[in-house]
Amino acid sequence: MRSVGLLVLVLAVAIAAAAPASAASLTTLSRCYQEQGDVVATGAGYAASSVVTLTRDGTNIGSVATDAQGAFKGKFATPKLPTGVYERVYDLVATDGTNSALGRYRATKLVADFSPGSGNLKTLRVRFRIRGFNLLKAGSTVFMHYVRPNGSLRKTVRLGVARGACGHIRRTKQRRLFPFAATRGRWALQFDTRKTYTRATATSNFVWVRRPVEVFGQG
């Protein structure tokens, strides 16, 4: 029985030695960020008043100081995604040399377009593709507003609910690009997450993309 008790004691010491020195953590404030946007990361459980190094996919992206409680908050830019890549997961590691933690975040392109991109607008049928429309709110509904050349709204249609962390609609059902007789001029298709149309600007508090469409000889 004494040998069994000694074995249990040895195992307990071994487990304690293998345990991490602290429960360091690393998180980002959003589930998904737009490419080339600022990512905000927070951490806790590091050495007080120390320097924490951040790496992304193994590449050093900077350092940040911890406070007296061993916590930090830092900001860094996420890179532009390669051509043809619309969404990507990045691995983050934060370490002070003793305490380390792993975190992840997603980055996306902001996309709203349709294909085919040209044809007779009286008969052209297209499929719409959406990316990045959950950047501000999960499960956002995507709308498309037809805006006349004079800036007034002609019609609003619902394209569907954006899926996933970043918000995508990979491909809608085929539909008429213009489900009405469009007057000649430069129209705008505004894709956004609002059922009621408001002209989007750089300060708008919703996700949006505007696509110009030139109409010749319709009516």
Side-chain angles (χ1 to χ4, degrees):
M1 292 297 292
R2 291 185 62 184
S3 62
V4 173
L6 179 61
L7 177 61
V8 172
L9 177 62
V10 170
L11 287 175
V13 171
I15 292 173
S22 68
S25 65
L26 173 63
T27 59
T28 56
L29 295 190
S30 177
R31 300 188 306 165
C32 185
Y33 292 87
Q34 186 177 348
E35 62 175 352
Q36 297 181 285
D38 287 333
V39 178
V40 179
T42 61
Y46 298 88
S49 304
S50 65
V51 174
V52 171
T53 299
L54 294 172
T55 61
R56 178 179 54 226
D57 289 350
T59 300
N60 189 318
I61 57 172
S63 60
V64 62
T66 63
D67 60 20
Q69 287 71 48
F72 71 83
K73 183 176 182 179
K75 182 171 67 174
F76 58 89
T78 192
K80 181 178 177 63
L81 293 171
T83 300
V85 176
Y86 295 95
E87 186 176 320
R88 179 172 173 177
V89 178
Y90 291 99
D91 287 337
L92 289 177
V93 173
T95 181
D96 61 10
T98 301
N99 309 287
S100 298
L102 170 68
R104 289 186 175 90
Y105 75 91
R106 291 179 179 269
T108 183
K109 292 181 182 295
L110 182 57
V111 174
D113 59 16
F114 55 88
S115 62
S118 62
N120 185 342
L121 293 186
K122 291 182 179 180
T123 58
L124 182 62
R125 299 178 66 84
V126 301
R127 297 182 190 273
F128 294 94
R129 179 181 58 167
I130 301 298
R131 291 278 183 176
F133 275 65
N134 283 348
L135 287 169
L136 298 180
K137 179 183 176 183
S140 295
T141 300
V142 181
F143 299 92
M144 181 177 66
H145 310 282
Y146 290 90
V147 184
R148 295 183 180 96
N150 66 6
S152 64
L153 177 68
R154 171 62 172 82
K155 184 181 180 66
T156 294
V157 297
R158 179 182 183 274
L159 295 182
V161 176
R163 307 295 183 183
C166 295
H168 63 261
I169 300 176
R170 298 190 188 281
R171 192 173 67 164
T172 66
K173 294 181 179 179
Q174 195 175 62
R175 61 199 300 168
R176 288 276 303 277
L177 177 59
F178 279 88
F180 52 83
T183 55
R184 180 181 301 181
R186 189 177 180 86
W187 287 67
L189 305 183
Q190 180 171 303
F191 303 81
D192 62 36
T193 55
R194 292 169 56 93
K195 186 176 181 179
T196 302
Y197 171 69
T198 301
R199 180 177 172 80
T201 68
T203 59
S204 295
N205 61 350
F206 53 89
V207 179
W208 61 273
V209 174
R210 284 176 72 94
R211 291 282 183 254
V213 178
E214 196 72 38
V215 175
F216 302 96
Q218 293 281 89

